[in-house]
Amino acid sequence: MNAPRPAAARFVATQTLLTLDARHPYAAKSLIDAQDMHRTVMSGFPGWVDDGSRDPRAQMGILSTWTLNLREARLALVVQSQVPGDWSRIPRQALAAEPETLTLDRTFGAGETVGFRTVVNPVYSKPPPPGAPPKTRGVRVAHTRPDHVRKWFARRLQPVGEPPVAPDGLTRIGADTDPDTLAIRMLPRISSPAPHKGLRLTRAEIRGKLTVTDPETFVSVLTRGIGHGRAYGCGLVVVR
């Protein structure tokens, strides 16, 4: 018999808001090159893991998301982590404001409703063609329409009483909602020039309300993110 799921779970993390001058070369390069944006985020966490360590981002629980205000030339970068960041390596002239850091410490209970925003890389795996060699991987294909993104997210919802892993192996998010109430907006794609020519990510913003059904799974999603592209500003679920 499966053990009952906890009725509440605690989420603890650090979040920092970095407001950058989008006209400064440091910020401008991060906007043009997704790999450079990744380096900007990771520059705040030197020394926490050994050089060459496998997947340092995941080890430190680093997730990020950003928005750009073209009218005011401001790049707002939110970085979440399980360890504190040090942003002294960012050029002072590139900062439009001092970094704002806060510690999140919140307990979520079953039945609680929260507002959320997330930017995701909505992809699915297309099976290899018939006759392909054994162990051939499928190809990741991006959803480019809001209605398809809505279905992508709806598959990850977890109604009351449902397990955290769906029958097809998909990990759910520990919360439920009416998919028709979600606001979905396609965002500009991000990419990276050579030598990362294959890096090109489709992004979609999803906003709405979620009702927590499995607090332990929900906190895991807040900590680890959702979907692919988490090293490049996708997957962070921000709640209020």
Side-chain angles (χ1 to χ4, degrees), residues 69-150:
N69 185 323
L70 286 171
R71 185 181 300 276
E72 298 180 5
R74 292 292 182 264
L75 170 62
L77 173 61
V78 177
V79 182
Q80 177 180 293
S81 60
Q82 296 298 299
V83 295
D86 173 9
W87 305 105
S88 60
R89 289 166 178 77
I90 295 180
R92 298 292 301 176
Q93 298 83 354
L95 289 169
E98 289 295 319
E100 300 177 32
T101 300
L102 67 145
T103 298
L104 305 177
D105 187 347
R106 182 172 174 180
T107 298
F108 294 93
E112 182 176 352
T113 298
V114 298
F116 82 101
R117 173 188 180 271
T118 185
V119 173
V120 297
N121 173 222
V123 298
Y124 66 97
S125 182
K126 188 175 182 180
K135 298 185 179 180
T136 300
R137 292 185 177 183
V139 178
R140 286 181 188 171
V141 180
H143 292 299
T144 58
R145 289 171 39 183
D147 56 329
H148 290 170
V149 174
R150 191 182 307 277

